[in-house]
Amino acid sequence: MDNPGVRRRPVQKRSIDRVERILDACARLLDEVGLDALTIVDVARRAEVPSGTIYQFFDGKPGMLRELALRNLELLLVRLRRRVAQEVAEGTEGALTWPRAAELVLTETVEMRRTVPGYTVVDFADTRPGGPTFLPQGEAKEGGDVLAERLYHFALDEAGLPPLPDPYRVMRLAIQATAAALQLAFTTSREGDPAMIEQGRRLLRAYFADVSSPG
């Protein structure tokens, strides 16, 4: 996926490893100091590279954060593929449904917030009022964004779910509702408030049961 904040894509293994080390350092520092206090100098020091190395690959902090968000998105999709395959293999829920798929996305997102460095801060967007998204713009004319588009096409093309009416607005609303629920759940605890997470699960299940029902 295109990241306009990338100045140069690494090709050699040594450079690829260096970029991964930069992103790992960025993620760990986000957990420690937060988004506003994060600096290129600190990331470079933690990654044990000169600051100029970061600027060789990224246009600065925005490009680096966007690349981290894209990496997190790919990790989420990998985890969802594994969960969907497990659901199909076990067959405990019967055919996969939109409400169940929404639960799986919530479950994996919660687990990533708990275990993936930097994910609580950079889960694809700065969720403060007026905060920027860290993902590229979407392409759907109906108003989709990259996260909504990727999740929707994953659901259709890989999970075998049926199409939804007005899908990108549905997905964007579900994503925003999930973000709001998890922001409340993780305000005071790294592990998240289980009761608030459960409320988010109920909200998503009811919403997708409604929008995916015939008629």
Side-chain angles (χ1 to χ4, degrees):
M1 188 180 300
D2 182 52
N3 176 0
V6 170
R7 286 178 167 160
R8 178 167 69 87
R9 285 285 175 191
V11 176
Q12 297 181 343
K13 184 179 185 302
R14 182 180 177 184
S15 295
I16 293 172
D17 291 343
R18 188 179 294 124
V19 168
E20 287 301 306
R21 195 161 74 246
I22 290 168
L23 294 177
D24 289 343
C26 178
R28 290 193 299 271
L29 282 167
L30 279 168
D31 279 345
E32 295 173 16
V33 305
L35 178 63
D36 292 334
L38 183 77
T39 68
I40 292 292
V41 171
D42 288 338
V43 173
R45 184 180 299 115
R46 179 66 62 91
E48 299 182 341
V49 300
S51 297
T53 299
I54 296 179
Y55 287 106
Q56 287 178 10
F57 295 104
F58 305 110
D59 66 358
K61 182 175 172 179
M64 184 174 59
L65 289 170
R66 176 169 288 185
E67 193 70 8
L68 181 59
L70 287 168
R71 190 175 75 165
N72 286 343
L73 174 55
E74 293 304 321
L75 177 58
L76 174 62
L77 291 171
V78 167
R79 295 173 70 114
L80 288 175
R81 289 185 185 103
R82 183 172 62 244
R83 287 300 298 265
V84 168
Q86 181 181 353
E87 291 274 317
V88 172
E90 293 176 352
T92 53
E93 295 285 334
L96 188 65
T97 63
W98 274 105
R100 178 58 182 161
E103 288 182 324
L104 295 181
V105 174
L106 177 64
T107 298
E108 290 302 325
T109 301
V110 166
E111 186 60 22
M112 288 180 71
R113 275 178 166 251
R114 289 171 173 166
T115 61
V116 176
Y119 194 83
T120 302
V121 181
V122 185
D123 53 352
F124 316 127
D126 181 350
T127 55
R128 295 170 299 184
T133 178
F134 296 127
L135 289 176
Q137 294 297 313
E139 298 179 357
K141 292 184 294 185
E142 297 86 345
D145 58 36
V146 166
L147 181 56
E149 291 167 19
R150 291 293 296 274
L151 288 177
Y152 183 62
H153 288 292
F154 170 82
L156 266 59
D157 301 337
E158 300 190 46
L161 291 170
L164 291 173
D166 201 7
Y168 299 116
R169 290 187 180 89
V170 167
M171 296 299 292
R172 290 186 73 192
L173 179 57
I175 289 166
Q176 291 299 318
T178 301
L182 294 185
Q183 187 174 19
L184 291 171
F186 283 85
T187 296
T188 58
S189 170
R190 171 78 184 184
E191 294 300 305
D193 173 16
M196 185 60 71
I197 293 169
E198 171 61 15
Q199 291 300 317
R201 186 196 69 80
R202 293 178 63 187
L203 183 153
L204 285 174
R205 189 168 184 90
Y207 179 58
F208 278 99
D210 178 61
V211 298
S212 64
S213 62

